[in-house]
Amino acid sequence: MFGIGMTEMLLIAGLALIVLGPKKLPDLARSLGKGLAEFKRATSELKNTIDLETRSAEVEKIREQLIREGKMTPPNSAPVTDDKHEVKPEPQGNAEKIREARLARSMTSEDDLATAENSSVETASPATEVPPKTDPEPNQHD
C-alpha cells in the first residue's frame, strides 16, 4: 500500500502515538476510517455513473446505426419503405383476438375453480356421506 512496508507503518504509528497522545489517537483513527469509507463510497458511485453513461452512449450509438441500416424504425414514425423491400403493415385485429383468447382462458379457469369448489363441497357435506358398512347378518358360531 503506497510502497510503505510494515516497519514504516509501525514507525508512523509510534510517532503519531508520541505526538498526539493516547487520548486523541483513537478519535483520529475513527475519523480517518470514516473519511476513507466516505471516499470509497464516493469513488464507487462516480465509477458506476461513468459506466452507466458509457453504456447508454453505446446503446444510443447502436440504435442510431440500426436506424440508418433500416433494421429498426424510429419510435413514433411511419414504417419506412424502399424499392428493394416492402414493409408489410402489421395485421389488424390480432390484439382483439389475443384479448378474447385470454378472456376465454380466464373464464375457463374460473369455471374449473367453481366446479372444483362445488365438488369439494358435495363430498364434504354430511348428506352425501357413505354410511359405514355393517354386516347384515352377524355370524353366529355357537
Side-chain angles (χ1 to χ4, degrees):
M1 184 174 151
F2 304 117
I4 298 176
M6 189 60 157
T7 55
E8 288 88 4
M9 289 189 62
L10 287 174
L11 181 65
I12 292 170
L15 286 174
L17 183 61
I18 292 171
V19 172
L20 297 174
K23 292 183 181 178
K24 292 185 180 179
L25 193 59
D27 293 335
L28 177 71
R30 187 175 303 114
S31 62
L32 184 63
K34 287 181 180 179
L36 284 173
E38 183 64 32
F39 180 74
K40 283 183 178 181
R41 195 174 306 119
T43 55
S44 70
E45 194 173 300
L46 178 66
K47 181 183 174 195
N48 289 341
T49 303
I50 291 171
D51 288 345
L52 181 65
E53 289 298 321
T54 304
R55 275 190 249 126
S56 68
E58 288 174 359
V59 167
E60 185 63 29
K61 186 178 176 182
I62 291 171
R63 184 177 161 276
E64 289 174 2
Q65 180 182 1
L66 290 173
I67 290 172
R68 270 187 271 121
E69 292 175 358
K71 295 180 180 177
M72 182 175 151
T73 58
N76 300 327
S77 67
V80 179
T81 60
D82 58 4
D83 296 336
K84 297 177 187 175
H85 305 287
E86 183 179 327
V87 176
K88 296 179 182 176
E90 291 190 21
Q92 299 297 322
N94 283 345
E96 186 62 33
K97 289 179 183 176
I98 291 171
R99 261 187 248 118
E100 288 174 3
R102 286 183 181 159
L103 180 63
R105 187 178 332 140
S106 68
M107 291 175 75
T108 303
S109 299
E110 290 173 3
D111 291 343
D112 291 344
L113 182 61
T115 304
E117 287 176 356
N118 289 341
S119 66
S120 66
V121 168
E122 289 174 1
T123 57
S125 66
T128 59
E129 284 185 15
V130 177
K133 279 189 170 182
T134 57
D135 289 335
E137 298 177 22
N139 288 338
Q140 295 181 357
H141 299 282
D142 293 52

